[in-house]
Amino acid sequence: MAPASRPPTATPPAASSSRIDSPSLKAALAMALMHYNRLPSRAAAAAGTSTPPLTHWKRKAKERKREILRLREELKLLQDGVRGEETEPPVASCRCHFFDGCGDLQPPLPPGGGDHWVDEVLRRRFLRLARWKEKRRRLDRSLPVSSLMEFNREDEIQQLSLSTDFLVELSDGIFAKRDSMSSFATFSHQAVDFILASLRNILSTKRERELVEEIIDGLVARLMKRMCTISENNCTSDSGSVDCSDAQFSVQHLFRKLGQEEFIGQRIILVVSQKISNLSEMLLLVDPFDDSFPDMHGNMFIMIQLIEFLISDYIKKWLCCEQFDKNFFEEWVRSILKARKDLEVLENINGLYVVYIERVVGRLAREVAPAAHQGKLNLDVFSKLLC
């Protein structure tokens, strides 16, 4: 009898069970599941609830490229001279009150106790306009653009120089009738405000004073030349947008507004008083029947009137200024006294000169009397004012 055969023994799958029970494999599966759960679902992606980063930056790049192309096209058109006056920002349709009270003595003080404030938006708009004007002027003259055109936002001195040039160019335009009185009032208002604000910022830092004096002296000299220019045609305002229709009186009003700042006002009076002395010598030699005599006669009155305006409007404010220059103050007072003495020689030609300058000296004496007793003015000079 043959022995019973043993059933075959099944060998356990040791290798496969060991792989499933491996701790490293379990950890890998767990991390994969966590990462999968963090991914956005397809339904959410299809609904547009989240934008892939790649699509977002592609859209940004396309927008930036379109902006660069647009700016390049504008620059090309500007350099080719295709763009004309339509590039200039439009003038606001509202009425500018800058020239209200032109020719009136002692205007009302501005609101806020005379504190001056320039809105940042208007400041940036004026800078863009002034830079555009400067670039157009250089391109029209076919001059290469120098490094001075690379303006620094933080450089107040360059901005001050730019705004003074812009104001002088506006004055030339009003004499040549290139600009209407409405646009002249608006732009000159912005220019004067910008000059005063920039000057105050620079003087507060007490830096580059000599350079600032040179810029302001140049501004006063150039505006004085335009105010006393013998012009054949005076500007008129048909729309009645400003009270003053004469271009010379418009420049006089610019002087009056700029004189709010003591640093500019005192220099204006010094230059005007010296100009009066020079003009008085010319009137002694000119023929009364000469064609230029009526214009010289008108210039004399407009300069005397300007000194009276500045003294009446701002002398008390200047004397209270912390940075008041006593030496400069005494210098222009002496210059006014010299102008009075020079005009006395013309009394036989026109006695009104002496009458008007005596009125100015009398007002000045009344206004500076407290300052003279405080030591801000030499008593000998003050005594001559009273003579």
Side-chain angles (χ1 to χ4, degrees), residues 149-278:
M149 291 302 300
E150 300 175 359
F151 293 98
N152 184 0
R153 176 181 173 83
E154 302 299 329
D155 195 343
E156 291 278 354
I157 295 181
Q158 285 187 347
Q159 294 178 3
L160 177 64
S161 178
L162 177 69
S163 56
T164 55
D165 293 339
F166 181 81
L167 185 59
V168 173
E169 185 179 350
L170 279 177
S171 303
D172 291 337
I174 198 64
F175 276 103
K177 288 189 175 181
R178 290 197 306 265
D179 301 324
S180 63
M181 287 300 294
S182 60
S183 62
F184 175 76
T186 302
F187 291 146
S188 60
H189 189 179
Q190 294 181 8
V192 169
D193 285 353
F194 193 89
I195 291 172
L196 294 177
S198 300
L199 182 62
R200 292 189 183 108
N201 292 338
I202 296 173
L203 294 179
S204 63
T205 60
K206 298 181 180 181
R207 60 184 178 91
E208 302 291 348
R209 186 178 179 88
E210 294 183 358
L211 182 57
V212 175
E213 289 179 357
E214 181 180 350
I215 294 174
I216 298 302
D217 290 343
L219 172 64
V220 174
R222 287 185 290 173
L223 287 181
M224 178 62 61
K225 182 178 179 181
R226 283 145 182 85
M227 187 183 74
C228 296
T229 297
I230 301 175
S231 56
E232 298 179 357
N233 298 317
N234 290 329
C235 299
T236 57
S237 175
D238 298 332
S239 61
S241 57
V242 290
D243 295 332
C244 181
S245 59
D246 189 349
Q248 288 182 303
F249 282 97
S250 298
V251 178
Q252 183 201 59
H253 193 68
L254 293 181
F255 273 129
R256 191 175 178 183
K257 292 296 184 180
L258 289 169
Q260 297 178 33
E261 187 62 35
E262 171 265 339
F263 190 87
I264 304 179
Q266 292 200 94
R267 283 164 172 78
I268 294 175
I269 293 182
L270 177 62
V271 173
V272 173
S273 57
Q274 292 174 348
K275 181 71 174 177
I276 290 174
S277 297
N278 296 334

Side-chain angles (χ1 to χ4, degrees), residues 6 35 114 121 127 145 168 188 205 240 252 337:
R6 293 183 179 180
H35 181 68
V121 176
L127 263 183
V145 180
V168 173
S188 60
T205 60
Q252 183 201 59
L337 292 174

Side-chain angles (χ1 to χ4, degrees), residues 12-84:
S16 60
S17 62
S18 62
R19 285 196 299 270
I20 295 176
D21 297 336
S22 175
S24 60
L25 181 59
K26 291 181 178 180
L29 289 173
M31 293 179 64
L33 288 173
M34 292 176 60
H35 181 68
Y36 178 78
N37 291 331
R38 291 179 179 177
L39 292 176
S41 63
R42 293 183 179 180
T49 56
S50 62
T51 303
L54 183 60
T55 306
H56 171 75
W57 289 112
K58 281 184 178 180
R59 186 176 68 253
K60 286 287 187 181
K62 289 181 180 179
E63 293 176 357
R64 181 61 58 86
K65 185 177 181 180
R66 285 195 297 265
E67 182 70 14
I68 292 175
L69 291 176
R70 184 183 64 81
L71 293 175
R72 286 179 178 176
E73 185 66 21
E74 289 185 1
L75 179 60
K76 183 179 178 180
L77 292 175
L78 180 61
Q79 291 176 346
D80 294 340
V82 177
R83 301 182 71 178

